[in-house]
Amino acid sequence: MEVLVLTAIIGVIALVFAGYKANFVAKQEQGNDRMKEIASYIEDGAMAFLTREYKALAIFVVVLAIVLAIGLSSIATAVCFIAGAICSVCAGYIGMRVATKANVRTTNAAMEHGLGKALDVAFSAGIVMGMCVVGLGIAGISIAYKITGDPTIVTGFSLGASSIALFARVGGGIYTKAADVGADLVGKVEAGIPEDDPRNPAVIADNVGDNVGDVAGMGADLFESYVGALLSVITLGVVAYGEDGIKYGLLIAGLGIISSIIAAFFVKGDKNPQKALNNGEYVSAAVTVIAAGFLASKIFGQFKPFIPVITGIVVGLIISKFTEYYTSEEYSPVKRIASESETGASTNIISGLSVGMMSTVGPIVVIAIGIMIAFIGAGGNQEAIHGLYGISLAAVGMLSTAGMTIAVDAYGPVADNAGGIAEMCELPENVREITDSLDAVGNTTAAIGKGFAIGSAALTALALFVSFIEATGLTGIDVSKPEVIAGAFIGGMLPFAFSALTMSAVGNAASAMIDEVRRQFKEIPGIMEGKAKPEYAKCVDISTGAALKEMIVPGMIAVIVPILIGLLLGSEALGGLQAGSLITGVLMAIFMSNAGGAWDNAKKYIENGVHGGKGSEAHKAAVTGDTVGDPFKDTSGPSLNILIKLITVVSLVFAPLFVAYGGILL
């Protein structure tokens, strides 16, 4: 099918554009020797972590590939699985490599040329991550399907992407929050020193964490969503419309990449970085919508398949706005948390929990409406398979501009690191003002990116769930059957158990970090006066070791539990498990991500001078709330996106096994 060749070529174009932008970043000046030294600490720490993580994951990939080859009697599926894992690794590695080079160059651009140039450098690093994700995703799955011609084999590619994504998100999240909590509680609260102060031993680990969690981890997350959406549109498209169904879904994704490349040239501005980034997102969405309508008319002779695509794009934008409302300091929820901080940490935490819980209402209602519009709009009330295909198109529509969305999100950690370098190198105040303005926008884009990731996870998981039902030949799932109810309860419990494990992992790692920072403050003479250099490497090593150790158990849950339920209770019970995990997983992900984002920005709002400002009792309470919210928004919450998708992908990949041998206990 020539469309597979075309989409693979578009993937290559995305990678070429990523190379062009990476070269632009590399050519920028790094600044003085002190700036280069600090940047080298961050880059070395980030790459050391990623290298150790990938070595550990290589063992997991080999073992699971053997299980796939033997258990499914399919070497081709195992090869696709390895290819998906390698593509995910490459996207994360390249994206983070460029991000760790861009941070100091952004700082220097702010110092030498001002806001516009600094924005250009930081965003260029972000677009490298975005283009690597979508380029490797669409090229990989197009080539895999072109070679095999079998959607059931291509599921292995998606499983490879999902497996790496979960460990990358969990490992990166544990790393970054252990460092962040240690740096904040001992540095800000106990020692009373500013954020990113070079006297803080955990400050380098904290900056490294921004990269491994919010660049590599986030990129792997959306790479997995992107691949999963493409897989679902292949598996359902071929049933609904034959080759035309596959052609339309893949071309939407391909044109979304082209629109993101075009939109990247619209991100310019030396006054309002938020407006510049918004311009990029709006242009990419507009171009994609126009192209999707034209293609629907050309391929199908009707606009029904176009309705789910535009529905997915609109749902993504609305969820992002809800996320912005609940997490931005410009709106009442964050201001309310800041106000409650005046009466102590307990009221701050109560208020933050309330905001997080309430923030689930809007996105869930929008997702539910979006699902119904996508199903009915695609013709599901006349032909069910057309409606189910419509749901997969909604997921593709939402993710069609993922290249731009990821770029805007990955820009944030680069800007954050740039501010940290400016602080540690004691650069002029105006430089820090520029990097702070970029970082403030980055906080908002990161929160919006998390909302987008959750929405795309919900639609992608639902589309893969539908693909599972098709693959197993189920006509429906009867909730009156005890095994289905049992599966649903177990599935509903999994996000809670997973969150408990990841939160506990952050707590354990943070405790070790706090002890180390306190030790250095106590045992290294002159550290507080700036006369002695902290032992940054020890803090980096603590975060690295803890993250790699603690990510194993949560990661294995998503792989082992679906296989056990499918074999012991059968395919229908496994369908119940997927439904249960999808519902509670999406709710928990929204709640945790938004509560954490709101706590974070309530702290920043107080630091801007309200309610007593820095050092006040309200500020201390807000810092405590922020440290509770840190693992919420950067570890457990984002990781739940991948958990629910990985459960559905594992179920889909092993579906033939469950059909043949499932229900041993029944």
Side-chain angles (χ1 to χ4, degrees), residues 583-661:
I583 292 168
T584 61
V586 172
L587 282 165
M588 284 281 286
I590 296 171
F591 158 60
M592 298 183 90
S593 293
N594 288 346
W599 271 316
D600 186 11
N601 283 327
K603 177 199 69 176
K604 288 182 170 65
Y605 183 60
I606 292 172
E607 288 175 346
N608 288 336
V610 298
H611 304 297
K614 289 183 179 180
S616 65
E617 290 303 312
H619 182 233
K620 290 178 181 178
V623 170
T624 301
D626 182 36
T627 55
V628 174
D630 273 338
F632 266 48
K633 70 181 174 67
D634 290 326
T635 307
S636 300
S639 298
L640 285 169
N641 303 337
I642 309 170
L643 176 75
I644 59 177
K645 288 177 289 184
L646 185 53
I647 287 172
T648 57
V649 171
V650 169
S651 302
L652 180 58
V653 169
F654 287 93
L657 202 63
F658 306 141
V659 171
Y661 305 106

Side-chain angles (χ1 to χ4, degrees), residues 223-263:
F223 178 81
E224 182 230 11
S225 277
Y226 190 74
V227 167
L230 295 180
L231 172 65
S232 68
V233 89
I234 288 174
T235 56
L236 295 172
V238 73
V239 179
Y241 289 104
E243 288 192 357
D244 283 347
I246 298 172
K247 183 188 299 184
Y248 184 63
L250 291 181
L251 284 176
I252 293 298
L255 288 169
I257 293 174
I258 299 299
S259 71
S260 294
I261 292 173
I262 294 170

